[in-house]
Amino acid sequence: MMITPIHRFRDIERKPEYLQPDKCVPPPSHSSLGTMWFIRDGCGIACAVVTWMLVFYADFVVLLVMLVPSRDYVYSVINGILFNTLAFLALASHFRAMLTDPGAVPKGNATKEFIESLQLKPGQVVYKCPKCCSIKPDRAHHCSVCKRCIRKMDHHCPWVNNCVGENNQKYFVLFTMYIALISLHALIMVGFHFLYCFEEDWTKCSSFSPPTTVILLILLCFEALLFLIFTSVMFGTQVHSICTDETGIEQLKKEERRWAKKTKWMNMKAVFGHPFSIAWLSPFATPDQGKADPYQYVV
């Protein structure tokens, strides 16, 4: 079998004894697999907490600085409900993206029994990760933060304190979309509120003093503009990655395409679920991906 340049970046073995299965700790029992997925990374936890605090700050300014003092009751109610609904969906999506197993390969599954169960034929190759002692399925990559091999790993995002992979990409896409929407909504409301305050008396357009009101609005404007740009770019790159069925790591490494090419619509349904419905926009709906293809351990 000819070894391509892609193969040289992986630990390639053909026989169980060469994979050193005796040095691998057996995977955990099924009873321990039901535990909640959470990455204990200090930087990631701090970024996740900051994310929630920024959303709460935006909600504070929108409600107490702009909407509650407004004399237009209908304007306040409609925008208050819309902003808080989008903020709730954004935080719910963040929560699901952070606490959902992104597609971790069982740790320590490079045992003699598992390798023999693959029934390797002459010329076939399996990939072993020397860091987590796992036999990698096709398109899996090792994350140094999660310390696991992740199926269809796109990247590790500190803002959600988790990898973005096969099982939680939908929630990450929804998170970026809803953050972009509330950022845009906040910018529009800040613009209208500044116009309102310039036309009216500054002491009547807010419950706070004029200097405090200006500072709070400028900080919100800066935050909203920054995250609108950042999350819009992330949302666009994620949708492009899904449509082309090529993860960020695969694009970066320019890996050779070894999987079947599908239509953009099929790739979208593979991430968000079958069939198309309003559930695509819900962070509470687990994607029904239909009959999944078996994971290829052998090349």
Side-chain angles (χ1 to χ4, degrees):
M1 174 182 174
M2 181 180 295
I3 303 300
T4 66
I6 301 301
H7 291 151
R8 296 195 183 99
F9 292 101
R10 298 194 179 186
D11 183 7
I12 302 175
E13 306 293 355
R14 299 188 180 186
K15 296 182 180 180
E17 54 267 26
Y18 293 157
L19 290 171
Q20 299 177 328
D22 295 336
K23 295 185 179 181
C24 292
V25 178
S29 60
H30 292 287
S31 60
S32 63
L33 293 177
T35 58
M36 183 180 68
W37 176 271
F38 182 75
I39 302 301
R40 294 175 178 83
D41 175 58
C43 177
I45 294 173
C47 288
V49 171
V50 169
T51 299
W52 281 62
M53 291 178 64
L54 289 173
V55 174
F56 287 142
Y57 169 77
D59 195 48
F60 165 78
V61 176
V62 167
L63 289 179
L64 299 184
V65 177
M66 293 189 287
L67 296 183
V68 171
S70 176
R71 298 176 181 176
D72 191 336
Y73 179 76
V74 176
Y75 171 86
S76 298
V77 171
I78 292 177
N79 282 281
I81 293 175
L82 178 60
F83 186 87
N84 279 277
T85 299
L86 293 175
F88 173 75
L89 291 172
L91 293 179
S93 300
H94 182 275
F95 188 81
R96 292 297 303 272
M98 180 172 60
L99 299 182
T100 299
D101 181 348
V105 178
K107 196 172 185 179
N109 70 346
T111 60
K112 184 176 180 180
E113 294 76 14
F114 180 76
I115 298 168
E116 290 178 345
S117 69
L118 298 177
Q119 298 180 351
L120 300 178
K121 298 178 181 179
Q124 289 183 321
V125 175
V126 292
Y127 300 139
K128 173 193 171 183
C129 177
K131 298 178 181 179
C132 60
C133 214
S134 300
I135 300 297
K136 288 186 179 182
D138 195 20
R139 304 185 69 184
H141 293 85
H142 185 84
C143 174
S144 58
V145 180
C146 296
K147 296 179 175 59
R148 298 288 291 275
C149 285
I150 308 297
R151 295 190 299 267
K152 292 186 68 175
M153 174 182 170
D154 187 86
H155 69 287
H156 184 92
C157 178
W159 294 105
V160 297
N161 188 34
N162 201 0
C163 275
V164 178
E166 182 180 69
N167 294 341
N168 68 342
Q169 190 172 26
K170 170 191 173 179
Y171 309 124
F172 181 76
V173 172
L174 292 180
F175 167 66
T176 58
M177 182 184 73
Y178 287 126
I179 289 294
L181 288 176
I182 64 173
S183 298
L184 178 61
H185 190 197
L187 280 174
I188 294 173
M189 285 191 291
V190 167
F192 278 115
H193 198 71
F194 266 121
L195 292 176
Y196 172 73
C197 290
F198 281 131
E199 294 176 354
E200 300 289 336
D201 187 356
W202 274 88
T203 58
K204 297 180 180 180
C205 70
S206 173
S207 303
F208 299 88
S209 64
T212 303
T213 300
V214 171
I215 293 175
L216 292 174
L217 290 177
I218 290 177
L219 289 177
L220 176 60
C221 186
F222 176 77
E223 174 194 341
L225 182 61
L226 179 65
F227 279 93
L228 173 62
I229 296 173
F230 177 71
T231 54
S232 296
V233 171
M234 288 300 301
F235 175 77
T237 56
Q238 285 296 301
V239 172
H240 177 266
S241 175
I242 293 171
C243 290
T244 59
D245 192 21
E246 191 175 20
T247 66
I249 291 181
E250 290 166 348
Q251 294 176 15
L252 184 64
K253 292 185 175 182
K254 298 180 180 180
E255 294 189 359
E256 179 184 355
R257 192 182 188 96
R258 303 181 303 278
W259 53 93
K261 188 175 182 179
K262 302 177 182 177
T263 64
K264 295 179 181 179
W265 185 245
M266 289 297 295
N267 292 330
M268 290 291 289
K269 289 196 292 185
V271 173
F272 290 94
H274 296 279
F276 172 76
S277 67
I278 194 66
W280 278 28
L281 302 178
S282 172
F284 303 102
T286 302
D288 179 14
Q289 299 174 336
K291 185 178 180 181
D293 295 331
Y295 300 117
Q296 299 297 323
Y297 289 91
V298 182
V299 176

